[in-house]
């Protein structure tokens, strides 16, 4: 276990979420991802505005596939447990989980930001494969390639808030190009990539006008309806949650109509999510 490799973070975060009173089972998304493993279309980027549950879904995927804990206690009884491939994949994969919104202490430059990611992954790999004598100062893609060549081990990459760095005041246009190059070198054409699942606010095309990340299949809320039911709440799901609220609350502070007025800000053709 490490900060990035098979981190406990997504496992613990999702385990806490499942225990929440207002939890909604969206684990069917995992069944949608399984057919993509190790295939050409294994690079997925799902973009949504804030508060659509992107991080919850990233944690869910990491908790299911990763080796940080016993996922049976979380997923047994949820929708994904009815998938025929459930036991073939539950906690069977090496996960590299990167939340790009996390910054080094006092970070004021791109080098410090990206070095934290590279050195952190390399340190985790060095701890997991001590027999390989990994040099933490090497490029992370070279280290991953060496691990793959010597062990045949592959890795799932789950990357949350991939575009967070672009919103930082200290990032220059050159830094943005360097970051796109980092993602390209880490993922594109790499045999060690079993799956790359990435989320963010704005689409890749906002930043990448070239071929750096053209291997990704991108699903936004405006033009691609696939996966829409897993981000935000469907109207029927809000009805169920509101019934829970009614059962638990003696003095009501909001009505079902209040919820509609507050959150009905996005209208999609199908399926129609309720946020």
């Amino acid at each position: 276990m490490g900060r990035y490799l098979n981190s406990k973070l997504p496992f613990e975060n999702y385990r806490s979420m499942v225990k929440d009173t207002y939890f909604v089972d969206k684990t069917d998304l995992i069944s949608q991802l399984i057919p993509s493993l190790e295939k050409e279309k294994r690079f997925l980027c799902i973009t949504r505005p804030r508060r659509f549950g992107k991080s919850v879904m990233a944690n869910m995927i990491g908790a299911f596939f990763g080796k940080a804990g016993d996922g049976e206690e979380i997923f047994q009884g949820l929708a994904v447990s009815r998938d025929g491939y459930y036991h073939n994949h539950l906690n069977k994969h090496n996960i590299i989980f990167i939340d790009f919104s996390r910054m080094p202490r006092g970070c004021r430059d791109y080098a410090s930001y990206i070095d934290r990611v590279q050195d952190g992954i390399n340190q985790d790999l060095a701890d997991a494969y001590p027999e390989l004598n990994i040099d933490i100062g090497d490029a992370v893609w070279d280290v991953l390639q060496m691990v793959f060549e010597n062990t045949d081990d592959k890795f799932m990459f789950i990357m949350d808030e991939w575009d967070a760095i672009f919103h930082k005041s200290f990032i220059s246009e050159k830094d943005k190009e360097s970051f796109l190059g980092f993602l390209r070198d880490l993922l594109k054409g790499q045999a060690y990539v079993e799956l790359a699942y990435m989320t963010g606010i704005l689409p890749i095309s906002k930043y990448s006008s070239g071929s750096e990340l053209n291997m990704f299949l991108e699903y936004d809320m405006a033009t691609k309806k696939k996966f829409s039911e897993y981000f935000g709440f469907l109207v029927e799901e809000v009805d169920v949650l509101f019934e829970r609220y009614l059962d638990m609350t003696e003095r009501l502070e909001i009505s079902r109509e209040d919820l509609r007025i507050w959150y009905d800000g996005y209208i999609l053709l199908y399926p129609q999510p309720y946020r």
Side-chain angles (χ1 to χ4, degrees), residues 36-39 42-43 144-145 148 153-157 159 183 185-197 216:
S36 300
L37 299 183
E38 298 191 70
K39 296 181 180 178
R42 66 189 186 278
F43 299 90
L144 285 162
Q145 180 66 24
F148 174 67
D153 286 355
K154 294 186 177 184
F155 302 87
M156 288 186 179
F157 292 81
M159 295 162 288
L183 292 176
D185 293 340
L186 178 65
L187 302 170
K188 191 170 185 178
Q190 300 288 14
Y192 55 70
V193 178
E194 192 172 29
L195 176 76
Y197 176 92
F216 275 94

Side-chain angles (χ1 to χ4, degrees), residues 13-44:
N13 283 345
Y14 192 66
R15 179 162 65 176
S16 297
M17 182 63 64
V18 170
K19 296 177 181 178
D20 190 270
T21 302
Y22 297 105
F23 169 76
V24 175
D25 183 358
K26 299 280 189 176
T27 58
D28 272 333
L29 174 61
I30 297 169
S31 298
Q32 297 291 317
L33 297 179
I34 288 174
S36 300
L37 299 183
E38 298 191 70
K39 296 181 180 178
E40 183 179 356
K41 297 181 179 180
R42 66 189 186 278
F43 299 90
L44 307 172

Side-chain angles (χ1 to χ4, degrees), residues 82-151:
R82 297 189 289 272
D83 190 295
Y85 295 99
Y86 173 70
H87 288 292
N88 294 342
H89 294 284
L90 180 66
N91 307 134
K92 296 294 198 301
H93 299 263
N94 287 311
I95 295 292
I96 293 179
F97 188 96
I98 308 173
D99 180 350
F100 281 113
S101 69
R102 292 176 176 263
M103 298 281 162
R105 184 174 59 189
C107 183
R108 292 294 181 270
D109 61 88
Y110 172 73
S112 299
Y113 171 82
I114 206 65
D115 284 349
R116 177 179 184 269
V117 176
Q118 288 211 67
D119 292 348
I121 296 174
N122 284 349
Q123 183 62 65
D124 288 350
L125 291 168
D127 293 341
Y129 301 93
E131 71 280 5
L132 297 182
N133 297 315
I134 290 171
D135 185 344
I136 296 172
D138 284 347
V140 64
W141 43 87
D142 289 337
V143 174
L144 285 162
Q145 180 66 24
M146 181 176 68
V147 172
F148 174 67
E149 294 286 354
N150 284 273
T151 66

Side-chain angles (χ1 to χ4, degrees), residues 19-271:
K19 296 177 181 178
D20 190 270
T21 302
Y22 297 105
F23 169 76
V24 175
D25 183 358
K26 299 280 189 176
T27 58
D28 272 333
L29 174 61
I30 297 169
S31 298
Q32 297 291 317
L33 297 179
I34 288 174
S36 300
L37 299 183
E38 298 191 70
K39 296 181 180 178
E40 183 179 356
K41 297 181 179 180
R42 66 189 186 278
F43 299 90
L44 307 172
C45 180
I46 297 177
T47 55
R48 291 292 187 277
R50 296 190 185 281
R51 315 312 302 171
F52 269 70
K54 299 185 300 298
S55 294
V56 174
M57 295 296 98
N59 285 322
M60 176 187 75
I61 295 166
F64 179 83
F65 287 112
K67 299 178 179 180
D70 181 5
E72 192 75 29
E73 62 172 298
I74 299 176
F75 294 98
Q76 183 60 40
L78 298 182
V80 70
S81 66
R82 297 189 289 272
D83 190 295
Y85 295 99
Y86 173 70
H87 288 292
N88 294 342
H89 294 284
L90 180 66
N91 307 134
K92 296 294 198 301
H93 299 263
N94 287 311
I95 295 292
I96 293 179
F97 188 96
I98 308 173
D99 180 350
F100 281 113
S101 69
R102 292 176 176 263
M103 298 281 162
R105 184 174 59 189
C107 183
R108 292 294 181 270
D109 61 88
Y110 172 73
S112 299
Y113 171 82
I114 206 65
D115 284 349
R116 177 179 184 269
V117 176
Q118 288 211 67
D119 292 348
I121 296 174
N122 284 349
Q123 183 62 65
D124 288 350
L125 291 168
D127 293 341
Y129 301 93
E131 71 280 5
L132 297 182
N133 297 315
I134 290 171
D135 185 344
I136 296 172
D138 284 347
V140 64
W141 43 87
D142 289 337
V143 174
L144 285 162
Q145 180 66 24
M146 181 176 68
V147 172
F148 174 67
E149 294 286 354
N150 284 273
T151 66
D152 290 328
D153 286 355
K154 294 186 177 184
F155 302 87
M156 288 186 179
F157 292 81
I158 302 173
M159 295 162 288
D160 195 16
E161 299 202 45
W162 82 274
D163 55 341
I165 189 65
F166 295 117
H167 307 299
K168 299 300 179 181
S169 60
F170 59 82
I171 294 298
S172 67
E173 291 301 316
K174 184 177 180 181
D175 293 335
K176 294 177 184 179
E177 293 178 4
S178 296
F179 181 66
L180 293 173
F182 167 78
L183 292 176
R184 177 199 62 218
D185 293 340
L186 178 65
L187 302 170
K188 191 170 185 178
Q190 300 288 14
Y192 55 70
V193 178
E194 192 172 29
L195 176 76
Y197 176 92
M198 190 162 75
T199 72
I201 298 173
L202 295 176
I204 293 172
S205 57
K206 171 73 175 179
Y207 303 109
S208 177
S209 58
S211 61
E212 296 97 341
L213 304 180
N214 63 357
M215 68 284 198
F216 275 94
L217 296 173
E218 189 166 8
Y219 299 91
D220 59 36
M221 67 178 292
T223 62
K224 302 288 182 64
K225 67 182 183 180
K226 186 175 182 180
F227 301 126
S228 291
E229 64 266 39
Y230 305 118
F231 295 87
F233 294 139
L234 302 178
V235 174
E236 296 80 6
E237 292 168 343
V238 176
D239 289 338
V240 172
L241 295 178
F242 189 70
E243 287 298 321
R244 292 181 194 170
Y245 168 73
L246 293 177
D247 291 340
M248 297 177 58
T249 307
E250 295 183 2
R251 183 176 179 180
L252 302 184
E253 298 182 2
I254 57 173
S255 69
R256 182 65 177 82
E257 179 62 12
D258 290 332
L259 289 179
R260 188 193 66 78
I261 294 172
W262 290 352
Y263 294 110
D264 193 14
Y266 299 93
I267 303 298
L268 300 186
L269 296 178
Y270 180 84

